[in-house]
Amino acid sequence: GIDASVRMAEANSAAGGSSPKSILYDGPSGTEEGDEIAVTVAVDAKLVGRIIGKGGSHIQRYKQQSGANIVLSPSSRGVDIRYADVTGTRDKVHVCLLLIAKGLHENVRKDEPVGTEMKLHMLCPSLSIGYLIGKQGRYVRAMREESKATITITEFKSDPAIQRRMSVLLSGTESTLGKAILLVCKQLSSAKLNLGINLRKTATSFNPAAAKGVRVSLPPTSSAPLHIGGRGGGGQQRRQPD
């Protein structure tokens, strides 16, 4: 249930997420109330009811359980994707994202099968994607190895109304997915710290009018990873090792 997911997410956070010799960011940034991060989740419009619940019961419970804030984009005719902006401290966002992934996986009709694999489709600003990929892919490889989850990073082209975003597709068991979400949140904390930007200001801008009449769909999870370079965290050693 939700309580178990929260406990598992909190245990992952308390454990630090990355291993002692990890090259991934493991500093305190993103843990204070005034140092929030923002992550956008893309959800198939046909499945968004799984995280909303009757009368918004699910989404309200996710907010209460995690302490993060969730803003859902409005429904618009002809658009197949809804967006959920999740903001809060790193640990709160981590818990909230895991709850959303769990809701998408489990809140199905009785006649629908429930598989063992959970999935989450995150959108991140292009400016910070280098902190998830790293030079020659060193960070994304480390996140895959440490979490044991599948992580695929591609350019987001499915919605013409959303620009300068990269898709971060995560899949795995509840345990491996939770670990991957935590590592991604930590890298985004590093990006904010080193770039000196407020990710909330670069959150997805909803523009239903621009997408009116345009049908879009989520990219397949089998899309080939986009192998690009980029600053992988530069700056001071204590913030993000090269």
Side-chain angles (χ1 to χ4, degrees):
I2 288 180
D3 290 339
S5 297
V6 172
R7 286 195 297 272
M8 186 188 72
E10 291 175 341
N12 280 339
S13 296
S18 52
S19 61
K21 296 182 180 180
S22 175
I23 63 172
L24 300 173
Y25 178 74
D26 200 24
S29 179
T31 60
E32 301 296 329
E33 290 297 332
D35 191 19
E36 299 180 338
I37 63 171
V39 176
T40 298
V41 178
V43 182
D44 189 315
K46 296 178 181 178
L47 306 179
V48 75
R50 296 182 183 181
I51 63 171
I52 295 176
K54 186 176 181 180
S57 59
H58 293 337
I59 206 165
Q60 288 301 321
R61 193 158 64 237
Y62 300 159
K63 291 180 180 180
Q64 294 171 1
Q65 290 279 339
S66 67
N69 188 46
I70 307 172
V71 177
L72 192 64
S73 67
S75 177
S76 181
R77 180 176 297 180
V79 176
D80 295 337
I81 302 176
R82 299 282 297 276
Y83 302 96
D85 276 348
V86 180
T87 57
T89 63
R90 183 181 69 203
D91 293 341
K92 290 179 179 179
V93 170
H94 166 223
V95 172
C96 190
L97 293 177
L98 182 57
L99 293 176
I100 288 175
K102 191 173 178 66
L104 289 171
H105 178 69
E106 294 185 348
N107 296 332
V108 299
R109 297 192 304 267
K110 292 182 179 180
D111 60 338
E112 293 180 303
V114 178
T116 58
E117 187 178 69
M118 295 171 57
K119 299 179 181 180
L120 189 69
H121 181 193
M122 303 164 60
L123 299 183
C124 296
S126 298
L127 185 62
S128 60
I129 202 66
Y131 292 80
L132 298 184
I133 297 176
K135 187 176 182 180
Q136 298 180 338
R138 66 198 302 256
Y139 292 149
V140 70
R141 283 198 301 272
M143 288 192 291
R144 288 168 180 158
E145 291 171 359
E146 293 185 28
S147 68
K148 309 304 180 185
T150 299
I151 304 175
T152 305
I153 300 177
T154 60
E155 187 174 358
F156 184 67
K157 296 181 178 180
S158 297
D159 189 342
I162 305 298
Q163 300 180 353
R164 296 184 296 278
R165 293 291 182 274
M166 300 291 289
S167 292
V168 181
L169 302 169
L170 309 178
S171 62
T173 64
E174 183 176 352
S175 176
T176 61
L177 184 68
K179 183 72 173 291
I181 291 172
L182 175 60
L183 294 177
V184 168
C185 287
K186 286 191 172 189
Q187 290 303 107
L188 291 177
S189 293
S190 173
K192 182 180 178 182
L193 177 65
N194 285 284
L195 292 173
I197 62 172
N198 188 330
L199 294 184
R200 286 175 295 179
K201 294 181 180 179
T202 62
T204 300
S205 297
F206 303 129
N207 188 357
K212 187 175 182 180
V214 179
R215 299 198 64 82
V216 296
S217 58
L218 295 177
T221 55
S222 59
S223 298
L226 181 66
H227 297 292
I228 62 175
R231 272 182 83 225
Q236 300 180 17
Q237 181 74 15
R238 66 181 178 82
R239 292 180 176 177
Q240 176 74 29
D242 291 329

